[in-house]
Amino acid sequence: MDDLETQNIELQLLLQAIYLKYGYDFRNYAKASIKRRVQHRMTKDGFESISAMQHKLLYDVSFFETLLLDMSINVTEMFRDPGFYFALRKFVVAELKKFPFLKIWHAGCATGEEVYSMAILLKEEGLYDRTQIYATDMNEIVLKQAKDGIFNISRLKQYTANYQKAGGQESFSDYYVAHYDHVVMDKSLKENILFSDHNLATDGVFGEMNLIMCRNVLIYFNRELQHRALGLFFDSLCTDGFLCLGSKESIRFSEYSDTFEDVVREEKIYRRIS
Amino acid sequence: MNNRFEAVVIGSSAGGIKALTAVLTALPKEFPLPIIIVQHLHPDSDSYLAQILGAKCELKVKQADEKETIAEGVIYIAPPNYHLLVEEDRSFSLSIEGSVNFARPSVDVLFETAIYAYRNKIIGIILTGANNDGHQGVKRIKQMGGYVIVQDPATAEADAMPRAAIAATKVDKILPLEQIGPYLLQLVNRSTKKTRYNEK
């Protein structure tokens, strides 16, 4: 047995320890990314091995929180992939207008940039007042940031460009107030958003949705966990409900392929048909 | 599967499209290994690199898909704006975690994870580029007992990336651009034939 195999055993034990002690289940995440990030934390903090790190992890909650932030990727942006939001406006909004009341679930919303993007889009399309948005993430630290709706000003130029490419109808600056190095999103965008803790690896269905957004979350899961999450989305969607995945994710090649039709294939917008 | 090598990974940046073309067009249709490439591109550039190279190479060229099983004799390109990772079962996964060495996709991320899957049976190649991405990756490949080829900085459109790789570890070969493809072919053929002979 070589060192790499021993490290795999250590990693498996570490993920088991995290699950048993803290309830976060990374055991069915795609391994390469988790392993790389665990190893980088190990090197950065001067541990000799993953096992040595496990000891600290079990007895030091703050160290666990650091590692949790390393392991859960919270990179996001406003109107990420503007073409997706443009397609949403063009091909999905008219369908959403047929529902008297809308429930939208953002699964794995991270720091919330895409939730606010959706709220803006719904406002401009006259749908916001009849919509309830559920924004969920497994990580309470990032969820709090999402709820606060305060973002660093450094990326605003890009967000404004994204907003325009996404078919934005107003001036993007109407939706925030700038304070020194950050911006505070307009309070009215938050009125119909419920931020809450939900883990796609361990939690279940909590309501019937008209649209589910889960973009760039499934790429971190192995096939088994992807299957679980897609099953959860299938069970949560009403018939004719929409599922939006990340640009490199797909429902095709999964067991749920036949239960969804393409709405905008290249933007990974699907609709439940059975 | 007793061959000395089982995969080739390549990192390139500024000037990389020309350099990749030079290397990859030297390889015949029968080239037996998968070739996995990170070329730094503009985040919005989509799949045009796979199209450009596909039109010129004898080998099949495609953008790597998430969860796709890696096949022999195929050239895979990392999608723009995503890191490309190799899983131990020799399939791909993608990630949008932050830039590494100011790059996404990052050469280091590909190389470091390719080692998990291919151990010492890997050939890493660093071509032209104006940053230092890949230097950690080549170091790891050498630590694991793999093989590293670096483009001679004097023949590189941007020499920072090859220089960083050469400074990071004792690389096996430093070659002018036009010799890299033929050398790679020779290296792989030699190791494959030797194994076949031993099996007899």
Side-chain angles (χ1 to χ4, degrees):
Chain A
M1 186 178 287
D2 67 13
D3 283 358
L4 276 180
E5 280 173 62
T6 309
Q7 281 169 17
N8 280 345
I9 295 171
E10 292 182 289
L11 182 69
Q12 216 177 326
L13 293 171
L14 183 92
L15 299 182
Q16 185 76 9
I18 290 173
Y19 179 60
L20 293 175
K21 170 92 187 196
Y22 300 104
Y24 287 91
D25 194 353
F26 287 99
R27 294 173 302 176
N28 282 317
Y29 273 54
K31 279 275 169 334
S33 171
I34 289 279
K35 190 164 152 185
R36 198 178 154 271
R37 279 171 280 150
V38 166
Q39 279 181 341
H40 277 241
R41 174 56 58 193
M42 186 181 100
T43 314
K44 197 171 173 188
D45 288 8
F47 291 103
E48 258 179 41
S49 65
I50 297 176
S51 308
M53 203 161 79
Q54 179 174 317
H55 180 81
K56 172 119 170 142
L57 178 95
L58 284 169
Y59 290 97
D60 182 348
V61 185
S62 69
F63 181 68
F64 165 68
E65 283 169 357
T66 306
L67 196 64
L68 181 64
L69 281 174
D70 288 341
M71 288 166 73
S72 49
I73 294 169
N74 300 303
V75 177
T76 175
E77 60 190 66
M78 294 258 186
F79 294 95
R80 182 184 165 90
D81 305 323
F84 162 77
Y85 285 91
F86 190 81
L88 209 58
R89 268 187 207 268
K90 199 165 166 196
F91 300 105
V92 177
V93 161
E95 294 298 309
L96 294 180
K97 284 182 174 165
K98 294 177 187 167
F99 295 110
F101 185 78
L102 280 177
K103 285 185 176 176
I104 293 178
W105 176 18
H106 270 265
C109 69
T111 41
E113 281 83 341
E114 291 206 70
V115 184
Y116 288 96
S117 308
M118 177 62 99
I120 289 168
L121 186 153
L122 293 169
K123 264 197 191 281
E124 293 185 359
E125 297 294 341
L127 282 167
Y128 188 79
D129 292 336
R130 53 169 138 145
T131 303
Q132 175 66 55
I133 299 178
Y134 301 90
T136 67
D137 201 276
M138 66 165 177
N139 185 333
E140 288 178 50
I141 299 165
V142 295
L143 204 55
K144 173 154 190 327
Q145 288 178 36
K147 201 171 178 173
D148 291 343
I150 299 171
F151 301 113
N152 197 303
I153 208 160
S154 63
R155 301 187 66 191
L156 217 68
K157 204 170 147 189
Q158 186 203 345
Y159 293 169
T160 306
N162 282 359
Y163 167 79
Q164 284 157 355
K165 279 191 229 163
Q169 293 161 358
E170 310 291 330
S171 162
F172 190 58
S173 58
D174 294 349
Y175 297 109
Y176 62 81
V177 178
H179 284 288
Y180 304 101
D181 58 349
H182 59 270
V183 296
V184 184
M185 298 311 290
D186 191 276
K187 265 201 185 69
S188 71
L189 293 170
K190 275 195 273 194
E191 276 169 6
N192 297 346
I193 306 175
L194 193 69
F195 292 93
S196 137
D197 170 15
H198 183 281
N199 190 326
L200 290 168
T202 45
D203 293 328
V205 174
F206 60 90
E208 195 182 52
M209 304 295 155
N210 302 100
L211 187 149
I212 296 175
M213 291 261 285
C214 184
R215 306 183 68 232
N216 297 307
V217 177
L218 298 183
I219 47 174
Y220 302 113
F221 295 173
N222 71 10
R223 283 250 185 247
E224 192 183 330
L225 190 52
Q226 285 186 344
H227 179 73
R228 182 188 198 276
L230 289 172
L232 202 54
F233 298 155
F234 177 79
D235 291 339
S236 301
L237 278 173
C238 63
T239 308
D240 293 339
F242 295 91
L243 176 64
C244 306
L245 301 179
S247 61
K248 300 296 173 196
E249 296 164 331
S250 175
I251 192 133
R252 304 295 162 224
F253 317 111
S254 83
E255 286 171 47
Y256 291 94
S257 186
D258 293 342
T259 57
F260 286 89
E261 67 177 14
D262 290 334
V263 178
V264 186
R265 206 173 124 236
E266 58 277 24
E267 297 297 347
K268 308 302 161 76
I269 303 176
Y270 305 100
R271 187 168 203 177
R272 187 183 148 166
I273 48 172
S274 69
Chain B
M1 293 294 264
N2 289 317
N3 292 342
R4 169 67 181 93
F5 298 114
E6 294 180 357
V8 180
V9 288
I10 303 180
S12 55
S13 188
I17 295 176
K18 221 195 264 174
L20 285 168
T21 307
V23 173
L24 299 171
T25 49
L27 304 176
K29 209 164 62 213
E30 300 76 30
F31 190 77
L33 308 186
I35 299 173
I36 311 165
I37 298 170
V38 160
Q39 158 70 41
H40 298 154
L41 290 167
H42 188 272
D44 299 329
S45 54
D46 203 30
S47 65
Y48 85 98
L49 180 57
Q51 287 159 18
I52 292 175
L53 293 175
K56 291 180 182 161
C57 294
E58 289 193 37
L59 287 160
K60 180 183 171 186
V61 185
K62 73 182 292 292
Q63 202 176 78
D65 283 325
E66 104 88 359
K67 296 282 183 285
E68 178 172 11
T69 300
I70 298 169
E72 290 169 2
V74 178
I75 299 171
Y76 298 97
I77 314 279
N81 215 10
Y82 284 81
H83 291 298
L84 180 64
L85 299 88
V86 181
E87 297 290 334
E88 275 181 41
D89 65 1
R90 301 184 175 185
S91 66
F92 290 119
S93 58
L94 301 175
S95 158
I96 56 162
E97 70 194 88
S99 301
V100 175
N101 309 319
F102 308 101
R104 187 174 64 204
S106 146
V107 180
D108 277 342
V109 173
L110 170 66
F111 282 22
E112 285 177 30
T113 56
I115 292 163
Y116 302 156
Y118 293 100
R119 314 280 170 117
N120 62 339
K121 298 190 166 190
I122 196 166
I123 300 170
I125 302 177
I126 295 290
L127 302 175
T128 170
N131 54 69
N132 71 357
D133 194 15
H135 76 286
Q136 292 289 355
V138 293
K139 201 163 126 190
R140 292 283 296 130
I141 290 180
K142 283 316 296 170
Q143 282 167 355
M144 277 303 294
Y147 198 94
V148 172
I149 302 170
V150 178
Q151 179 177 357
D152 181 350
T155 70
E157 240 177 275
D159 65 0
M161 211 156 101
R163 275 188 201 287
I166 292 164
T169 185
K170 196 173 178 315
V171 306
D172 295 280
K173 274 277 175 205
I174 300 169
L175 292 172
L177 179 61
E178 71 280 3
Q179 286 178 27
I180 293 176
Y183 185 80
L184 175 65
L185 183 61
Q186 197 190 358
L187 183 67
V188 169
N189 277 344
R190 201 167 50 199
S191 76
T192 315
K193 273 179 199 149
K194 205 183 285 170
T195 314
R196 280 185 192 142
Y197 180 76
N198 289 343
E199 277 167 0
K200 285 174 195 168

